């Protein structure tokens, strides 16, 4: 290696590693995608190594890319700290934050929350990943995420966002067509809507088997939004947190007796948590959870 890489080239490397595509990185950096490609080519030439595997789906870090990543992140943290110290103020909240959240929670509540929040930060943008799986923070698919599984390895900031309960719900029409459900054992004769069992994003989603009865699954979906639509249409019962039943189309069954407890965790890589824009979104989610406890458990 004849010359040391420039910080600006490493910044391009970081953003491409996080975004996974030239278009995503170029939007974060506010440059043309050709500029990103040119900078990455130059950095690879300087290092004498291939940092990314290119494919039609995007860019993935190679083994050498993963080796360079923590050093680039350390440089980023140092640059941001220096900027804040030299200016005497906190680094401005600007740029792009990629946030991964559970599909139903993200669509129904986080999206309108962000719409209001972003009005106060005109230089901030959010890439909201709402999908029937959890964002992979280890591969930098997101800057921070809400998940059911707290990481037990790696350098992460982790906090319990909310403990929540999943209750049995059914539509009024479905419940009217069937005998009253007076005890847990009565659930055995009912149809259920659930997750596709071999496509579970987390073992924590396998809560229906904890009912103590053998569930008769009539429709299985990869996401809870689809499950809620099926249950509201009268296909069967489902288990869900209270935030899925705020529109009155689903009513609880045996709410004081039958429920399963889980927790959402808020997670971010340590180096990204230090960024003011990431902490701003982190704090927003914590404030939302603390102020809306009844969305997660009917007993709060």
């Amino acid at each position: 290696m004849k010359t040391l890489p420039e910080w600006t080239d490493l910044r391009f490397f970081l953003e491409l590693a996080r975004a996974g595509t030239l278009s995503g990185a170029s939007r974060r950096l506010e440059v043309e995608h050709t500029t990103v490609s040119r900078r990455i080519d130059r950095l690879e030439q300087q290092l004498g190594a291939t940092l990314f595997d290119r494919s039609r789906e995007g860019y993935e870090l190679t083994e050498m890319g993963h080796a360079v990543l923590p050093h680039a992140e350390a440089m980023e943290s140092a640059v941001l700290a220096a900027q804040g110290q030299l200016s005497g103020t906190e680094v401005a909240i600007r740029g792009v934050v990629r946030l991964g959240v559970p599909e139903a929670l993200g669509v129904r509540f986080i999206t309108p929350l962000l719409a209001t929040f972003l009005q106060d930060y005109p230089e901030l943008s959010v890439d909201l990943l709402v999908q029937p799986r959890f964002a992979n923070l280890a591969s930098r698919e997101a800057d921070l995420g809400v998940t059911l599984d707290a990481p037990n390895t790696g350098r992460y900031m982790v906090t319990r966002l909310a403990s929540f309960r999943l209750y049995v719900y059914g539509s009024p029409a479905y419940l009217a067509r069937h005998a009253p459900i007076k005890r847990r054992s009565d659930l055995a004769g009912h149809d259920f809507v659930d997750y596709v069992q071999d496509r579970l994003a987390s073992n924590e989603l396998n809560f229906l088997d904890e009912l103590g009865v053998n569930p008769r699954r009539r429709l299985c979906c990869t996401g809870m939004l689809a499950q809620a639509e099926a249950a509201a249409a009268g296909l069967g019962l489902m288990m869900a947190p209270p935030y899925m039943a705020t529109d009155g189309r689903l009513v609880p069954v045996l709410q004081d007796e039958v429920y399963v407890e889980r927790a959402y965790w808020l997670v971010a890589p340590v180096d990204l948590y230090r960024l003011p824009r990431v902490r701003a979104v982190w704090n927003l989610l914590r404030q939302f959870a603390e102020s809306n406890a009844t969305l997660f458990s009917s007993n709060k």
Side-chain angles (χ1 to χ4, degrees):
M1 184 173 64
K2 297 181 179 180
T3 59
L4 292 174
E6 297 179 6
W7 157 241
T8 52
D9 288 341
L10 287 172
R11 181 176 174 229
F12 277 70
F13 162 78
L14 276 176
E15 295 300 347
L16 184 55
R18 292 164 182 170
T21 63
L22 289 176
S23 59
S26 65
R27 190 164 73 86
R28 288 169 176 256
L29 293 161
E30 298 182 346
V31 298
E32 295 294 330
H33 72 276
T34 53
T35 302
V36 179
S37 179
R38 187 170 61 253
R39 290 295 192 102
I40 296 301
D41 289 343
R42 183 171 75 175
L43 180 61
E44 289 181 330
Q45 290 174 4
Q46 289 178 331
L47 296 176
T50 301
L51 302 176
F52 293 95
D53 286 327
R54 281 80 163 169
S55 70
R56 298 177 69 177
E57 287 73 33
Y59 283 61
E60 291 189 6
L61 288 171
T62 62
E63 183 177 353
M64 181 58 70
H66 280 291
V68 171
L69 183 63
H71 301 290
E73 291 171 342
M75 290 183 68
E76 179 184 53
S77 296
V79 169
L80 290 170
Q83 288 176 340
Q85 185 173 7
L86 290 173
S87 66
T89 60
E90 186 179 28
V91 178
I93 297 176
R94 64 165 63 95
V96 180
V97 174
R98 180 163 287 195
L99 168 64
V101 294
E103 182 185 28
L105 182 66
V107 170
R108 293 195 172 184
F109 296 97
I110 303 303
T111 298
L113 178 70
L114 288 171
T116 301
F117 171 73
L118 289 173
Q119 294 178 12
D120 296 328
Y121 298 98
E123 296 184 78
L124 180 67
S125 299
V126 173
D127 287 346
L128 185 62
L129 306 184
V130 286
Q131 49 200 5
R133 65 177 180 83
F134 298 103
N136 189 335
L137 296 179
S139 66
R140 300 304 173 104
E141 183 180 23
D143 301 323
L144 72 163
V146 177
T147 180
L148 286 172
D149 301 292
N152 50 27
T153 60
R155 299 180 67 248
Y156 294 99
M157 289 293 297
V158 182
T159 188
R160 185 188 295 266
L161 182 65
S163 297
F164 66 98
R165 290 181 175 181
L166 298 109
Y167 303 94
V168 178
Y169 287 94
S171 71
Y174 175 89
L175 296 173
R177 295 197 310 267
H178 296 80
I181 302 173
K182 297 182 178 181
R183 58 188 66 86
R184 182 187 295 262
S185 59
D186 293 338
L187 295 171
H190 286 269
D191 295 332
F192 279 87
V193 180
D194 195 14
Y195 283 100
V196 177
Q197 295 301 287
D198 63 352
R199 292 291 187 271
L200 293 176
S202 165
N203 289 332
E204 294 292 297
L205 294 175
N206 191 18
F207 38 74
L208 196 56
D209 289 339
E210 297 181 30
L211 283 179
V213 299
N214 186 22
R216 188 169 65 204
R217 295 178 172 90
R218 292 297 309 282
L219 177 66
C220 292
C221 313
T222 55
M224 188 171 281
L225 282 175
Q227 294 175 42
E229 291 302 314
L235 182 61
L237 303 174
M238 72 173 295
M239 293 200 73
Y243 62 75
M244 293 301 301
T246 56
D247 57 8
R249 295 192 299 159
L250 294 171
V251 296
V253 176
L254 300 178
Q255 193 170 41
D256 295 330
E257 178 183 346
V258 180
Y259 57 84
V260 171
E261 294 185 301
R262 293 289 189 268
Y264 279 136
W265 300 90
L266 184 57
V267 184
V270 169
D271 59 293
L272 298 183
Y273 175 78
R274 297 192 184 109
L275 302 178
R277 63 177 183 270
V278 173
R279 286 203 309 275
V281 177
W282 174 286
N283 292 334
L284 173 72
L285 295 178
R286 292 202 65 183
Q287 292 166 6
F288 165 76
E290 292 171 1
S291 302
N292 295 275
T294 56
L295 291 177
F296 300 96
S297 174
S298 65
N299 293 335
K300 293 181 179 180

